[in-house]
Every structure is written in C-alpha cells, then in structure tokens.
Amino acid sequence: QVQLVESGGGLVQAGGSLRLSCVASRSILRINYMGWYRQAPRKQRELVARVSNIGITNYAESVKGRFTISTDNAENTVYLQMNSLKPEDTAVYYCNADHTGLGPNFGSWGQGTQVTVSS
C-alpha cells in the first residue's frame, strides 16, 4: 500500500494556474504509474495525466498543452502544473499510485483536492 496526500487545489479564475502536489509514503521509483485523475459532479472519474516509472507521460486530450505532470523522486512527490485553466476543469482531483501494475483501480488513491475555475 501507498499513502498519498494531495494539496494545492483551490479557486482560480479562468486563464489562471494552479499546481497540485501529491506526496507518497514511500519511494515512487518502483511504482508503475503515478497519475492524476479528476471527477466532476455527475461525471465519471477520468484520467488527466500519468507518468510511468521510466518517465513516459500520457495526457487526456482536453488538457494537452496546458497541463504538465512531473515528479521529484527524492521527495516522493508528483506534481500537476495546470495552466490556462478553464471552467470545465472544475473537479475533484485525485492522485493515484498504480503500484500493482493492474491498473489504477487496484492501486492507491489520495483523498482528493478540489479545483474550481470560475468564468
């Protein structure tokens, strides 16, 4: 198991920026994927971005060019830099550690952090 603690959410105007942080309870070097997911009201949870333990990144089409996922392995931390935010980015953002290799639902989740983008 991996404990994850997110921070950095908040209220921002459209066009603004936020940086989310996710601190893991152990080294993330051997975790298959670290990812950020989000869930808006009345919608399913969706992948925003993820990074593999060899640095391969994947992004949802809706955030490409605006969001960047990165890691600080020394600090066991994953970041999500979000620029040019839009109202449709409003959601609860969750950090995930896919440490089993079986997919995010078999991994560990953080408690979530709210991001609200006003128009």
Side-chain angles (χ1 to χ4, degrees):
Q1 281 289 350
V2 182
Q3 281 71 51
L4 303 169
V5 178
E6 301 115 329
S7 61
L11 173 64
V12 65
Q13 288 188 332
S17 298
L18 284 173
R19 188 176 79 157
L20 305 183
S21 300
C22 170
V23 181
S25 60
R26 63 172 176 86
S27 174
I28 62 175
L29 287 173
R30 294 188 177 185
I31 295 177
N32 297 281
Y33 285 97
M34 294 295 300
W36 287 96
Y37 293 74
R38 67 186 180 188
Q39 187 166 19
R42 298 174 297 282
K43 291 189 176 182
Q44 288 190 334
R45 191 173 296 189
E46 62 176 1
L47 172 69
V48 177
R50 67 176 187 175
V51 57
S52 76
N53 55 6
I54 57 171
I56 297 172
T57 57
N58 302 102
Y59 293 92
E61 285 295 325
S62 60
V63 307
K64 280 184 180 178
R66 300 188 298 124
F67 291 10
T68 303
I69 189 169
S70 62
T71 61
D72 182 338
N73 293 327
E75 298 294 331
N76 300 334
T77 302
V78 180
Y79 300 101
L80 184 68
Q81 178 66 44
M82 304 186 294
N83 299 327
S84 302
L85 283 160
K86 304 176 182 180
E88 51 263 44
D89 294 318
T90 295
V92 178
Y93 284 68
Y94 296 92
C95 181
N96 175 267
D98 178 9
H99 53 84
T100 67
L102 300 175
N105 291 332
F106 292 89
S108 298
W109 294 92
Q111 81 284 359
T113 185
Q114 177 71 46
V115 171
T116 304
V117 184
S118 63
S119 57

